[in-house]
Amino acid sequence: MKYLDEYRDPRLARVLLDELHRTTTRPWSLMEVCGGQTHTIVRQGIDEVLPPGIRMIHGPGCPVCVTPLETLDRAMAIAARPEVTFTSFGDMLRVPGSHTDLLALKARGADVRVVYSPMDAVALAQQQPDREVVFLAVGFETTAPANATAVLHAATLGLTNFTMLVSHVLVPPAMTAILDAAECEVQGFLAAGHVCTVMGWTEYEPLAARYRVPIVVTGFEPLDLLEGILMAVRQLEQGRFEVENQYARAVQRTGNGPAQEAVRRVFRISDRAWRGIGTIGASGLELADAYAAFDATRRFDVGRLTAAEDPRCIAGRILTGLSVPTDCPAYGTTCTPRSPLGAPMVSSEGTCAAFHRAGRRRPAGAAVSGGAR
Amino acid sequence: MTAVDPLAASCPLPLAETERVLLGHGSGGQLSAELIGDVLVPALGSAAPAGALEDAAVVPIDGVDVVLSTDAYVVSPLFFPGGDIGALAVHGTVNDLAMRAALPVALAVAYVVEEGFPLADLRRVAASVGAAARAAGVPVVTGDTKVVGRGAADGLYVVTTGVGQRLAGAAPSATGAAPGDAVLLSGPIGSHGTTILSVREGLGFDADICSDTQPLHRLVAAMVDAGGDAVHALRDPTRGGIASALNEIAVTSGVGIEIDEQALPVPAPVQAACEILGLDPAHVANEGCLVAFVAAHRADAVLAAMRSRPEGRAAVNIGTVRDTEPGRVVVRTSVGSRRILDMLVGEQLPRIC
């Protein structure tokens, strides 16, 4: 397929791998930030063909995984109301809240629907003026512009039956939190290509300089990732700590201006809880006061719900790269995609689910590093 | 509609503990297998089928291997590029018979129609059933019609039952795959599922994709003619896609299967649709292709026979059966590593980004 096969060519993969083996003289630990990149790395077994010293740490970039339990419980409480048509991207439907998930609610009669765009939810609100249509707006900087545009469109239409349950998160504060952690082993980052398509990479330049880490804006295909890893390793080997762009076919330094403007108009930056990690200052987006009428937590008065995680889940350690899924005592036993304890096992972008789908096993009798702490 | 109390459920593991049927139970993946294995088959007690669960059952009657299969079709929308529920209902049952190397002898067709369903659409579906049956060379010998109240069904359901007679010289079974077998695929994968998704959700891919629904009994006849009893197992990868079909054979036959990802034929529009939606083509439903496990010494002859038929023109060898890692399907990736190809857990759900 044009523009896709080129990035999956086994011969070019071999060339990049050979170059990586020649370049690597000592061990390095790199983090891919984005869940989509984790998906490709594990699905293609890229981490298994890297030079022995190169360790890939899987980062917090799965938007489903980091959505707080409280937000999910709020989603369930709203979706269960008889007057509500609750809409979401497909990934969110199977994520367990404290008591249930959206698919199970749907089976019990709730009006829960998968949409492919927030604009579909706005269209539903237009078509069903007697229903309250709610959209669960999660994701990183990648999905925020489309969600902002949907709010602007709903405002233009004068819709009073459309609201959003917003749980947006931002990448650079999460990277900073990871780098500030005492146990941090990350020496270089592969930044998420899609996020940078919107935001560019200027935000990463002070990070790279301050923490002396190379940051390579990287795409999602196997060859993208191999080249991104090679570029990061080259910098580390040469003692350089810069932001480089592997994903030049999609990303420009300053990103997409109109998309950023839409986000700035509709949302404001706020502190945000990350599931399994905790609250990170200025790491989220919430609706600006001018658009508070579209805030589902106000419309349905579910802002005060609190929830507790399953204590067996080590999602926080997984999401910050301090443990890998096969370290977890529950992995593959009490926690599987069929019966997940935490979000990283549910989402198709989640590290635990990616490991499980790829058949990665917990070594028999292996010492468990990073249990439920 | 009354309110549903989301906090009334008692367990924090909703997927494992739910006491209600989910859409995922019909996806052809792990949930479907659990529903059949844990609920439906045990309820039969001594009336349960002996041996492995197959697409169609062989019932010996007076020395003749009669083959029997039944299937219900609930596709939405009823009409889609490349076919409709009527053609699908005929092809699906003909193909289930064919996977036991049987030629169809007769079909029974039942329609469950919702009150208020347009008669013009029913005529169109009935005409399609007739056309598909004539093209497959099988008479529809009996049937049934039920009308249910408005809201009690989603328009129209079609149930088809088929009786066939097994071809001499081959007895393919889900238990038959053996180490050393070649894994042959009759054609491209993913077209049916992506077409249905595109039309149902209005995604606009339908200009480029159409369903692959077609009968496969003549293709199987050609394969049996070329390969005889070297044709060890056949499976049409419908719901759950080729991933489910390969896993079912690996488990039922107690063998390992290794396939080459690069050899899997995925049409460009299907690949594009799957990329956009975050789906794996290996999990997407098909209605007009089959996967065959054939002894190595006859694999080339069977592949040539497949390619001589229009249904198998694009047939390819996608891998081999191993005696290691029984029950597992392993994929060789483009970067030269190996990964497990698992069955889908529940419904295929589009990813966020």
Side-chain angles (χ1 to χ4, degrees):
Chain A
M1 190 182 139
K2 186 81 176 138
Y3 306 126
L4 204 54
D5 288 346
E6 295 91 323
Y7 302 101
R8 297 178 180 179
D9 185 334
R11 287 162 304 177
L12 289 176
R14 195 66 253 163
V15 170
L16 285 169
L17 273 170
D18 289 347
E19 179 62 19
L20 189 56
H21 278 266
R22 276 194 296 273
T23 305
T24 307
T25 65
R26 58 196 142 139
W28 300 110
S29 295
L30 305 176
M31 173 178 275
E32 85 278 1
V33 175
C34 173
Q37 293 173 333
T38 303
H39 189 73
T40 303
I41 287 171
V42 178
R43 182 178 147 79
Q44 294 290 327
I46 287 173
D47 49 344
E48 295 185 345
V49 293
L50 295 176
I54 303 294
R55 182 163 74 100
M56 296 308 298
I57 299 174
H58 311 299
C62 162
V64 176
C65 304
V66 298
T67 300
L69 200 53
E70 284 89 349
T71 303
L72 295 164
D73 286 346
R74 280 176 201 142
M76 311 300 164
I78 294 170
R81 295 172 71 106
E83 74 275 25
V84 166
T85 295
F86 194 89
T87 62
S88 165
F89 293 131
D91 256 13
M92 296 305 299
L93 265 60
R94 290 187 55 237
V95 186
S98 300
H99 303 278
T100 185
D101 64 39
L102 288 166
L103 274 184
L105 271 186
K106 182 173 184 287
R108 292 159 65 194
D111 186 4
V112 176
R113 305 190 194 183
V114 172
V115 291
Y116 296 86
S117 153
M119 295 300 269
D120 294 346
V122 174
L124 265 178
Q126 270 186 288
Q127 292 157 16
Q128 307 183 139
D130 55 336
R131 306 273 303 157
E132 288 285 345
V133 177
V134 182
F135 178 71
L136 177 53
V138 301
F140 290 88
E141 294 91 329
T142 326
T143 51
N147 293 340
T149 305
V151 169
L152 292 171
H153 188 54
T156 305
L157 293 171
L159 291 180
T160 56
N161 66 329
F162 174 77
T163 50
M164 275 189 180
L165 182 58
V166 179
S167 186
H168 272 298
V169 277
L170 302 171
V171 168
M175 289 168 70
T176 307
I178 288 164
L179 288 165
D180 282 337
E183 297 175 82
C184 176
E185 295 175 359
V186 177
Q187 294 168 293
F189 283 102
L190 305 186
H194 290 172
V195 168
C196 297
T197 305
V198 175
M199 300 304 293
W201 66 79
T202 51
E203 294 177 289
Y204 299 118
E205 288 169 338
L207 270 181
R210 179 176 159 206
Y211 291 95
R212 296 175 65 79
V213 287
I215 300 175
V216 180
V217 178
T218 305
F220 299 84
E221 294 302 322
L223 295 190
D224 288 328
L225 285 153
L226 285 173
E227 189 175 26
I229 293 166
L230 175 60
M231 290 165 74
V233 168
R234 266 195 193 129
Q235 285 201 46
L236 287 165
E237 291 280 348
Q238 295 167 3
R240 291 187 292 122
F241 309 103
E242 300 162 12
V243 181
E244 291 184 309
N245 182 20
Q246 181 278 329
Y247 204 33
R249 66 186 185 277
V251 176
Q252 296 181 331
R253 181 168 180 270
T254 54
N256 180 332
Q260 293 169 24
E261 178 54 29
V263 172
R264 268 195 295 271
R265 274 184 70 185
V266 172
F267 298 116
R268 66 165 173 239
I269 290 175
S270 63
D271 295 348
R272 172 67 67 191
W274 293 56
R275 186 172 189 179
I277 297 176
T279 298
I280 301 175
S283 71
L285 296 174
E286 63 183 18
L287 283 163
D289 288 340
Y291 297 95
F294 295 97
D295 186 343
T297 58
R298 295 186 189 206
R299 177 79 52 96
F300 300 101
D301 191 25
V302 289
R304 296 183 306 278
L305 277 179
T306 57
E309 292 285 353
D310 189 305
R312 293 169 292 177
C313 180
I314 63 165
R317 295 187 64 80
I318 305 281
L319 293 169
T320 49
L322 299 175
S323 296
V324 293
T326 45
D327 290 336
C328 176
Y331 172 81
T333 54
T334 49
C335 184
T336 65
R338 175 74 178 84
S339 56
L341 292 184
M345 188 57 97
V346 180
S347 165
S348 59
E349 292 181 13
T351 304
C352 300
F355 268 57
H356 200 272
R357 289 208 175 99
R360 303 269 172 101
R361 295 182 190 176
R362 197 151 60 89
V368 171
S369 64
R373 299 174 210 171
Chain B
M1 195 182 110
T2 55
V4 179
D5 180 4
L7 309 181
S10 60
C11 185
L13 308 180
L15 295 174
E17 301 301 325
T18 184
E19 274 304 307
R20 291 178 190 261
V21 174
L22 304 174
L23 274 176
H25 282 112
S27 66
Q30 285 181 24
L31 286 182
S32 301
E34 287 177 20
L35 190 69
I36 294 166
D38 298 345
V39 178
L40 302 181
V41 172
L44 297 173
S46 62
L53 298 178
E54 305 265 6
D55 283 346
V58 177
V59 187
I61 300 176
D62 291 341
V64 177
D65 276 347
V66 173
V67 180
L68 181 68
S69 184
T70 192
D71 214 336
Y73 296 83
V74 296
V75 64
S76 174
L78 301 173
F79 304 96
F80 46 84
D84 56 69
I85 191 171
L88 204 62
V90 171
H91 296 158
T93 293
V94 165
N95 290 348
D96 282 347
L97 296 173
M99 295 310 110
R100 304 305 303 276
L103 294 181
V105 173
L107 288 180
V109 180
Y111 298 95
V112 178
V113 193
E114 185 186 6
E115 176 189 21
F117 187 74
L119 207 51
D121 285 351
L122 186 58
R123 283 198 188 95
R124 200 172 149 196
V125 171
S128 178
V129 166
R134 290 193 300 277
V138 55
V140 176
V141 294
T142 186
D144 187 30
T145 311
K146 293 284 188 296
V147 177
V148 298
R150 185 182 280 272
D154 185 14
L156 173 70
Y157 306 142
V158 182
V159 177
T160 47
T161 300
V163 174
Q165 185 171 352
R166 185 173 260 189
L167 292 159
S173 161
T175 62
D181 282 359
V183 184
L184 309 179
L185 176 66
S186 69
I189 59 168
S191 297
H192 178 76
T194 41
T195 300
I196 295 295
L197 193 61
S198 175
V199 181
R200 188 168 63 206
E201 307 293 344
L203 298 176
F205 302 134
D206 39 309
D208 300 324
I209 315 174
C210 68
S211 170
D212 62 342
T213 182
Q214 60 179 335
L216 299 169
H217 58 303
R218 297 184 180 104
L219 174 69
V220 170
M223 295 167 68
V224 168
D225 199 35
D229 62 4
V231 179
H232 291 160
L234 296 169
R235 183 60 63 118
D236 60 335
T238 52
R239 288 173 312 157
I242 192 159
S244 281
L246 293 173
N247 273 285
E248 284 163 10
I249 297 288
V251 169
T252 313
S253 294
V255 295
I257 296 173
E258 182 164 322
I259 65 169
D260 180 0
E261 188 168 60
Q262 299 289 306
L264 273 183
V266 182
V270 171
Q271 184 75 57
C274 287
E275 290 296 328
I276 289 168
L277 297 172
L279 307 179
D280 185 342
H283 289 139
V284 175
N286 312 277
E287 290 293 343
C289 68
L290 62 80
V291 61
F293 298 78
V294 181
H297 71 284
R298 300 300 299 163
D300 287 343
V302 171
L303 194 58
M306 292 168 82
R307 288 174 175 163
S308 72
R309 293 279 322 166
E311 311 93 300
R313 197 182 303 118
V316 283
N317 185 330
I318 59 169
T320 49
V321 177
R322 307 278 191 208
D323 57 6
T324 52
E325 298 186 89
R328 285 197 167 235
V329 181
V330 175
V331 176
R332 286 193 303 277
T333 70
S334 62
V335 300
S337 66
R338 297 161 89 247
R339 70 174 167 96
I340 307 288
L341 180 64
D342 210 352
M343 286 171 88
L344 206 58
V345 173
E347 276 282 271
Q348 257 202 330
L349 295 170
R351 276 162 49 196
I352 273 182
C353 63

